[in-house]
Amino acid sequence: MAAKVLAIVLAGGEGKRLMPLTTDRAKPAVPFGGMYRMVDFVLSNLANAGYLKIVVLTQYKSHSLDRHITKTWRMSTLLGNYVTPVPAQQRRGPWWFAGSADAIYQSFNLIYDEQPDYVIVFGADHIYRMDPRQMVEDHIASGAGVTVAGIRQPLSTADQFGVIEVGADGRRIRAFREKPTDAVGLPDAPDEIYASMGNYVFTTRTLIEAVERDAEDKTSKHDMGGSIIPMLVERGEANVYDFRDNEVPGSTDRDRGYWRDVGTLDSFYDAHMDLINVHPVFNLYNFDWPIYTEQPPYPPAKFVHQWGERVGRAVASMVSPGAVISGSLVENSIVAPKVKVHSWAHVDGAVLMEGVEIGRHAVVRRAILDKNVYVPEGAEIGVDLERDRQRYTVSDNGIVVIGKGQKVEP
């Protein structure tokens, strides 16, 4: 008989470093790639793998996320499948989630109801493809209490990640350290380290015991990566799963092993730019392992006008349904549904979210425009960064970010 598996997706992140994109929504609800929300990537990975009992633990500004999941992620109830958002229910007392481990502690009823043999605990705010079945199978075969997904990164970047240090066998975790400056390389690759992906597979009994013990520790931060995993490492019950070994159907040599933590405005922007190469670093066009999302009844994108320089065209860009490119040029950009770019406007290196409208003769360069932003005729964004800093958010790398519905001055 196949092992019973429950998937828990941690989606309560506040996402402060993504402000102003998270001013009005939780981080996993932030739109990505024109058509999607961040949470769609982890849910698609689980669904494609056949794990169809999924709970999404939410907390911070969760309405947009709850609505998206409820409208989009509907499974066959005939087979008992579901994807359901679960807010903090205060089952343990009058307080909200104090951390990701506490979120699970307060949601033990979900585990008791399903009585799974194993529990998948994945984050909701990373961009990647992965077949979780292979990680679960690896976990079961190992006999470990928890298996942590690790992605190989250069040793020189260890101070940017939660680092997994392994023993001589290359599997058993001997240390789990946060952004160390003296990390040790891997046994089979001294110039590489394992960075934690924030994805875990637990034997159910191990998860319950560890989270209960953590809940009794008043000094704990009640965090999965910062509290639970180090506890199990100390007990010798933690193994690493090498993400390099994960084979996703339809993947190419170029995008195999792609994973991005889009926790900052610059990483969010860079991950979008990864989508639009002729041979993209992350390929949304892999139909063997699709990324699912809501599909509203929008018409196809339209490109209109062909008179002199007034030609509607998009180059090296992704343009979503319902968008209208009218007598303007869009380059190196991601265009979401219902975007309108009017005549003689020029958009280059931009992420335009749903409902954005760019007026005539406007210029938008290296920018992220959240939903329903209106750029008036002749306005310039990303041309004079000093001027932009006085009015908008500008990232460390010079990306201009304009929040949802924010007014743009001419």
Side-chain angles (χ1 to χ4, degrees):
M1 181 180 295
K4 292 181 63 177
V5 177
L6 173 68
I8 297 178
V9 174
L10 301 173
E14 186 174 354
K16 291 181 178 179
R17 294 180 299 165
L18 278 181
M19 288 287 188
L21 304 180
T22 50
T23 299
D24 195 43
R25 58 170 79 91
K27 182 180 175 184
V30 172
F32 185 88
M35 296 287 294
Y36 309 92
R37 305 277 185 142
M38 283 194 201
V39 72
D40 289 328
F41 291 82
V42 63
L43 294 179
S44 295
N45 287 327
L46 292 167
N48 285 327
Y51 296 127
L52 304 178
K53 297 179 186 291
I54 307 171
V55 294
V56 183
L57 304 187
T58 66
Q59 179 160 263
Y60 173 82
K61 295 182 180 178
S62 64
H63 172 66
S64 178
L65 179 61
D66 294 341
R67 183 179 60 190
H68 175 72
I69 293 172
T70 303
K71 290 174 61 180
T72 305
W73 286 92
R74 298 189 175 191
M75 299 294 188
S76 170
T77 57
L78 182 67
L79 301 177
N81 302 325
Y82 57 84
V83 178
T84 183
V86 180
Q89 302 176 76
Q90 300 192 350
R91 286 177 175 266
R92 302 283 180 170
W95 51 79
W96 304 113
F97 297 150
S100 53
D102 184 55
I104 292 177
Y105 179 65
Q106 292 196 43
S107 304
F108 269 174
N109 63 297
L110 306 172
I111 299 175
Y112 295 146
D113 287 348
E114 285 296 339
Q115 297 187 334
D117 302 307
Y118 303 96
V119 179
I120 295 171
V121 180
F122 279 13
D125 48 14
H126 299 141
I127 306 302
Y128 67 112
R129 275 192 179 89
M130 178 185 190
D131 182 356
R133 287 172 301 193
Q134 297 169 34
M135 184 176 175
V136 170
E137 291 166 359
D138 182 88
H139 173 78
I140 294 172
S142 74
V146 63
T147 298
V148 183
I151 183 169
R152 292 173 180 251
Q153 298 289 334
L155 177 63
S156 60
T157 65
D159 60 356
Q160 302 175 29
F161 301 103
V163 173
I164 301 165
E165 295 184 357
V166 294
D169 64 355
R171 294 296 309 279
R172 189 69 63 177
I173 301 176
R174 64 178 182 84
F176 192 89
R177 305 169 64 197
E178 187 65 29
K179 299 181 179 180
T181 57
D182 58 347
V184 178
L186 300 177
D188 64 345
D191 59 342
E192 294 179 338
I193 51 96
Y194 280 130
S196 173
M197 297 170 61
N199 288 355
Y200 317 108
V201 175
F202 288 89
T203 301
T204 301
R205 181 183 64 256
T206 300
L207 175 64
I208 291 174
E209 291 176 354
V211 170
E212 285 182 334
R213 180 178 171 187
D214 176 73
E216 296 172 357
D217 183 358
K218 303 305 179 184
T219 65
S220 173
K221 294 182 179 179
H222 307 299
D223 180 71
M224 293 302 295
S227 307
I228 301 300
I229 303 304
M231 178 197 305
L232 295 175
V233 168
E234 186 176 342
R235 288 161 51 175
E237 297 184 44
N239 270 16
V240 68
Y241 173 75
D242 191 340
F243 185 50
R244 185 179 64 177
D245 296 335
N246 199 261
E247 293 289 338
V248 175
S251 63
T252 66
D253 290 339
R254 184 164 171 78
D255 74 344
R256 182 176 289 112
Y258 182 94
W259 176 85
R260 292 292 183 273
D261 179 352
V262 288
T264 67
L265 293 171
D266 286 323
S267 62
F268 180 83
Y269 178 85
D270 291 343
H272 276 88
M273 296 300 105
D274 288 341
L275 304 176
I276 56 178
N277 292 326
V278 174
H279 301 291
V281 182
F282 184 71
N283 182 21
L284 285 174
Y285 298 87
N286 178 356
F287 299 113
D288 294 328
W289 196 269
I291 306 300
Y292 300 103
T293 193
E294 182 184 10
Q295 298 289 343
Y298 298 146
K302 184 166 67 172
F303 303 80
V304 295
H305 293 306
Q306 188 175 357
W307 178 71
E309 294 184 359
R310 192 186 183 194
V311 179
R313 59 207 189 277
V315 182
S317 299
M318 297 173 63
V319 182
S320 302
V324 179
I325 312 300
S326 175
S328 53
L329 174 60
V330 175
E331 301 179 275
N332 310 305
S333 297
I334 305 292
V335 179
K338 298 171 65 178
V339 167
K340 295 180 180 178
V341 185
H342 291 282
S343 293
W344 299 290
H346 185 194
V347 176
D348 187 5
V351 178
L352 307 182
M353 296 187 186
E354 186 170 333
V356 166
E357 186 168 355
I358 311 296
R360 290 186 170 204
H361 300 284
V363 177
V364 179
R365 295 177 183 166
R366 287 174 51 81
I368 302 169
L369 275 56
D370 206 339
K371 295 175 70 173
N372 301 323
V373 168
Y374 173 69
V375 179
E377 182 172 348
E380 294 184 343
I381 297 170
V383 176
D384 184 345
L385 290 183
E386 291 306 314
R387 183 169 181 262
D388 288 337
R389 286 189 178 94
Q390 298 173 15
R391 302 180 296 171
Y392 316 118
T393 300
V394 179
S395 75
D396 292 341
N397 290 345
I399 307 302
V400 182
V401 186
I402 301 179
K404 184 177 179 181
Q406 185 176 347
K407 184 178 179 181
V408 175
E409 299 176 6

